[in-house]
Amino acid sequence: MKVAIAGAGAVGRSIARELIDNGHQVLLIDKSPRSIKPERVPDAEWLLADSCELSSLEEARLDQCDVVIAATGDDKANLVTALLAKTEFGVPRTVGRVNHPNNEWLFTEAWGVDVNVSTPRIMSALVEEAVTIGDLVRLFTFRQGNANLVELTLPDDSPYVGKPAGLIPFPENCALVTILRDGQVYTPDAEQPIEAHDELLFVVSADVENALERLLAPSLHGG
């Protein structure tokens, strides 16, 4: 997969390293000469250019990218980059970094953003996840599909402790995507049982989140 990242600061470089480690091609774009540091991520391509300018994105060949990540420290620049990537180059997937929570409402499909990533929201979600068992925690929203990535840590008294995932009557528009247990990642096939204190990650529509909580943790949610 080819990924372009606008913003070659600490955040952009960290994302680039992770993607490269996972076998993806990465192009880092930044308009500041001080941010162009190929030695920091030697396996990435680098481009000194302004991602808010159409000519720069043409030079970056954005039409060949599968994903564009707008990761600068400027929300306005991230919105413009995402909008140009989506409308002018038809990039299939755009991700926008939200620096200031008050601007989060702008990071929608209307501005070409498929997924917005708000650091304050993620941090608060991680805090909630660390202290709650049986409560559903929303990690982020997939704007395009009107669905959320959510986490629920299975309580000891759940009626489905020890039951195979395939026998659990999950609500419609809900998919169990990962089971995290003892630092390991398990594929949730039909035979895989779920255990107390498993961290379950779901992609789920917002209107069935409460039903999912009641199903898996009825003692806490009146199921």
Side-chain angles (χ1 to χ4, degrees):
M1 185 167 67
K2 186 169 183 180
V3 182
I5 302 173
V11 172
R13 293 196 303 268
S14 295
I15 297 169
R17 292 189 194 100
E18 187 76 19
L19 291 171
I20 289 169
D21 286 345
N22 289 327
H24 301 295
Q25 294 178 266
V26 173
L27 168 66
L28 279 161
I29 307 169
D30 205 291
K31 65 179 182 179
S32 171
R34 292 177 297 176
S35 296
I36 303 298
K37 300 176 180 178
E39 70 280 3
R40 298 285 183 92
V41 192
D43 292 325
E45 296 179 61
W46 290 75
L47 178 64
L48 176 61
D50 187 345
S51 65
C52 294
E53 294 183 0
L54 196 58
S55 59
S56 297
L57 300 182
E58 289 173 346
E59 183 181 355
R61 298 183 179 179
L62 235 61
D63 58 317
Q64 298 179 14
C65 291
D66 302 291
V67 180
V68 166
I69 301 173
T72 78
D74 183 339
D75 285 344
K76 296 187 295 296
N78 291 343
L79 286 170
V80 171
T81 298
L83 184 63
L84 290 175
K86 182 65 71 174
T87 60
E88 299 296 328
F89 298 92
V91 175
R93 192 72 165 167
T94 58
V95 179
R97 173 189 175 190
V98 184
N99 294 280
H100 301 289
N102 289 344
N103 295 331
E104 189 173 356
W105 67 276
L106 289 165
F107 283 72
T108 65
E109 287 182 31
W111 276 95
V113 179
D114 293 317
V115 178
N116 72 59
V117 180
S118 171
T119 300
R121 172 174 287 187
I122 290 174
M123 290 180 70
S124 64
L126 290 173
V127 169
E128 289 182 71
E129 185 272 334
V131 300
T132 56
I133 294 177
D135 289 335
L136 185 147
V137 178
R138 185 179 294 180
L139 299 178
F140 66 84
T141 297
F142 299 98
R143 296 287 185 183
Q144 192 169 24
N146 192 32
N148 303 313
L149 177 68
V150 303
E151 183 272 351
L152 185 143
T153 299
L154 198 68
D156 295 284
D157 61 354
S158 173
Y160 296 102
V161 170
K163 299 289 180 65
L167 296 182
I168 302 173
F170 294 122
E172 292 187 12
N173 296 319
C174 172
L176 175 62
V177 293
T178 303
I179 300 171
L180 304 177
R181 181 188 304 148
D182 299 326
Q184 301 296 316
V185 178
Y186 294 90
T187 302
D189 58 41
E191 305 299 321
Q192 176 67 50
I194 61 174
E195 304 293 346
H197 301 281
D198 280 355
E199 293 183 57
L200 308 176
L201 297 184
F202 297 88
V203 174
V204 59
S205 63
D207 57 354
V208 299
E209 288 180 354
N210 290 339
L212 180 62
E213 281 187 318
R214 291 195 299 271
L215 174 72
L216 296 178
S219 66
L220 297 174
H221 301 286

